Amino acid sequence: MMFSKILFWVVRVLTLLLIVASLLPELPSGQWFIKLWEFPRLQLTLAIAVTLLLLILHAWLKRPRKEHAVLLVLLLATGGWQAFHILPFTPVWPKEVPTADARTLEDQATFKVMTANVDYKNDRYAEAVDLIRREDPDLLLLIEVDDEWKQGLAPLSEAYEYRIGEVRGEGLGIMLWSRFPMREQEVAHLVSERRPSIFATLDIPDLGLVRYTGIHPVPPGLKDRIAHNDETTERRDSRVRDAEVMLVARHVQQNPDNRWIVTGDFNDVAWSDTNQLFSELSDLKDPRRGRGLLSTYHTAYPFWRYPIDHMFVSDGFQLVDLNRVKLQGSDHFAITTTLTAARKDHTAPEASRQAHQKAEELIEEGAEDASEHGVSN
């Protein structure tokens, strides 16, 4: 008798907590402790499944009654809400970036892109060099590159004639290594002077000009000093991160007829509202959709992994291969993507007025937050 009462109270409390955790990300707030609940949707789905099993166990021990039915409906609705976000990143969903026809690849130009957050605290430079040589990417975006990593990666210099980026400490450096000539190149600080982003126009043989952007926006929840006050710290919310992503989307919108690749450590999950808004505004596609999560962080905790390292491409590409590889010593997996050219539709993206308005609000709020923390341009 006592066991069944405790069990039912456990089910009630878990149901309430799961509903709250599922609805929190829908609040119009950039607070880190709210936005972080966008991350564990898969874990919350598993928790909902466990709670359902406990509910069924209690209904089996005791005769089912009306409250069982109410809790069942609530749990199924909450689980359906989480599945709504996750399912597009599974094989049951249509592929957003088409798969290249293997029969025609011999006659098509292909190239490989690798994105890797090396982790500035990591000192396994030789193993990273060996991995990069094995993967042999044509474009290599490395994130959190400091002076030690720059020296450790020096053996790769002969393989990559073209390089652009900014070497910085504290996990803020970012570098693009390329076998393809760069017709245009720029390191920009979109919202925060501490966070560089890379913009380049690559001349890829048999394909032509491709615009490339590499980013690493600030993660929500990061401890940061306020307005140059070394004594006062707080955790950052998501506004600067979201503003940077929206500014990249606006940059793509201004050049809609080009082929585009945007990649990096977004510090945001694939299904987030910000990433979906970015995709709508830029009209760029996510190769994960219809294929799999490829969760990249954290390497040490399989149950607490999230897909936060991303690549978005224009409709001028088809996917040959998409893979996740282990980078020894880093807390991120690297992502490798092999692409080939497809027919480019030159129709400009047509985002809704509401999407444009939301993006403008995120940009303004991000600039305000950066100013408050003394890191704006």
Side-chain angles (χ1 to χ4, degrees):
M1 179 70 70
M2 182 62 67
F3 171 76
S4 64
K5 287 184 177 180
I6 294 174
L7 177 61
F8 207 25
W9 272 109
V10 168
V11 171
R12 289 167 176 152
V13 172
L14 285 176
T15 301
L16 176 61
L17 292 176
L18 289 167
I19 291 173
V20 171
S22 298
L23 293 179
L24 273 176
E26 308 311 311
L27 295 177
S29 171
Q31 293 295 323
W32 69 270
F33 54 84
I34 291 177
K35 282 298 184 182
L36 282 182
W37 286 104
E38 281 194 312
F39 283 61
R41 292 195 182 276
L42 182 60
Q43 291 81 0
L44 288 172
T45 302
L46 294 175
I48 291 168
V50 171
T51 307
L52 274 171
L53 291 176
L54 294 177
L55 177 64
I56 293 171
L57 174 61
H58 186 272
W60 179 69
L61 292 174
K62 297 289 184 178
R63 285 193 301 175
R65 53 181 188 262
K66 185 177 181 179
E67 189 174 359
H68 287 111
V70 172
L71 291 172
L72 177 64
V73 170
L74 290 173
L75 286 169
L76 289 177
T78 307
W81 177 245
Q82 299 293 0
F84 170 77
H85 292 83
I86 297 169
L87 285 177
F89 302 93
T90 68
V92 305
W93 213 258
K95 294 178 175 63
E96 194 168 70
V97 178
T99 302
D101 188 343
R103 296 170 296 181
T104 63
L105 283 180
E106 292 183 2
D107 301 322
Q108 293 179 276
T110 64
F111 63 97
K112 189 173 186 178
V113 184
M114 183 174 180
T115 301
N117 185 323
V118 296
D119 188 353
Y120 74 102
K121 298 177 183 178
N122 179 18
D123 62 359
R124 300 170 74 168
Y125 313 118
E127 291 171 87
V129 169
D130 290 342
L131 173 66
I132 292 167
R133 284 174 170 164
R134 287 196 305 272
E135 293 295 329
D136 196 30
D138 300 294
L139 290 172
L140 173 65
L141 182 72
L142 298 179
I143 298 165
E144 298 198 9
V145 177
D146 56 13
D147 288 327
E148 288 76 16
W149 267 102
K150 181 181 178 181
Q151 295 175 15
L153 294 168
L156 294 174
S157 298
E158 294 182 0
Y160 298 94
E161 181 179 353
Y162 308 96
R163 295 182 292 277
I164 180 177
E166 187 173 302
V167 176
R168 299 190 64 158
E170 302 179 21
L172 300 172
I174 186 169
M175 291 289 300
L176 174 65
W177 302 53
S178 173
R179 290 197 173 110
F180 307 127
M182 298 183 188
R183 300 305 181 198
E184 299 174 355
Q185 58 186 58
E186 178 187 8
V187 176
H189 300 82
L190 299 177
V191 182
S192 167
E193 62 186 11
R194 289 166 52 82
R195 290 274 169 175
S197 300
I198 293 173
F199 293 85
T201 301
L202 307 168
D203 190 354
I204 300 180
D206 301 320
L207 183 56
L209 299 181
V210 174
R211 290 183 178 267
Y212 177 95
T213 300
I215 64 174
H216 182 213
V218 62
L222 180 71
K223 287 185 177 181
D224 198 13
R225 294 181 178 89
I226 302 174
H228 304 294
N229 185 343
D230 291 341
E231 301 300 325
T232 306
T233 61
E234 70 174 20
R235 292 189 181 272
R236 301 297 298 275
D237 61 24
S238 68
R239 292 185 294 171
V240 172
R241 179 200 66 188
D242 296 345
E244 182 168 336
V245 174
M246 291 304 103
L247 285 170
V248 172
R250 177 184 289 177
H251 192 74
V252 176
Q253 280 186 307
Q254 293 170 351
N255 302 274
D257 293 338
N258 297 106
R259 298 184 191 273
W260 277 95
I261 297 173
V262 177
T263 184
D265 173 4
F266 282 48
N267 279 310
D268 200 4
V269 282
W271 48 72
S272 75
D273 290 342
T274 301
N275 274 345
Q276 300 313 305
L277 182 59
F278 170 80
S279 183
E280 180 182 353
L281 290 169
S282 66
D283 199 36
L284 299 185
K285 310 299 190 296
D286 186 348
R288 274 190 175 98
R289 282 184 170 264
R291 291 186 171 91
L293 288 176
L294 266 74
S295 295
T296 55
Y297 175 89
H298 192 291
T299 56
Y301 309 112
F303 186 74
W304 294 108
R305 279 184 193 155
Y306 313 105
I308 66 172
D309 298 272
H310 303 294
M311 168 179 280
F312 290 88
V313 299
S314 65
D315 63 0
F317 293 105
Q318 293 178 342
L319 185 70
V320 179
D321 182 64
L322 176 65
N323 199 13
R324 182 185 72 178
V325 293
K326 173 70 173 177
L327 180 64
Q328 296 297 329
S330 175
D331 51 2
H332 287 247
F333 288 94
I335 292 289
T336 62
T337 313
T338 304
L339 299 167
T340 188
R343 183 182 64 82
K344 178 71 171 72
D345 183 357
H346 291 281
T347 303
E350 296 181 1
S352 66
R353 180 188 302 178
Q354 291 83 357
H356 284 286
Q357 183 177 352
K358 180 62 176 176
E360 192 64 33
E361 290 173 358
L362 290 175
I363 292 170
E364 292 176 359
E365 290 173 0
E368 177 185 345
D369 183 70
S371 178
E372 289 174 0
H373 288 78
V375 295
S376 60
N377 292 328

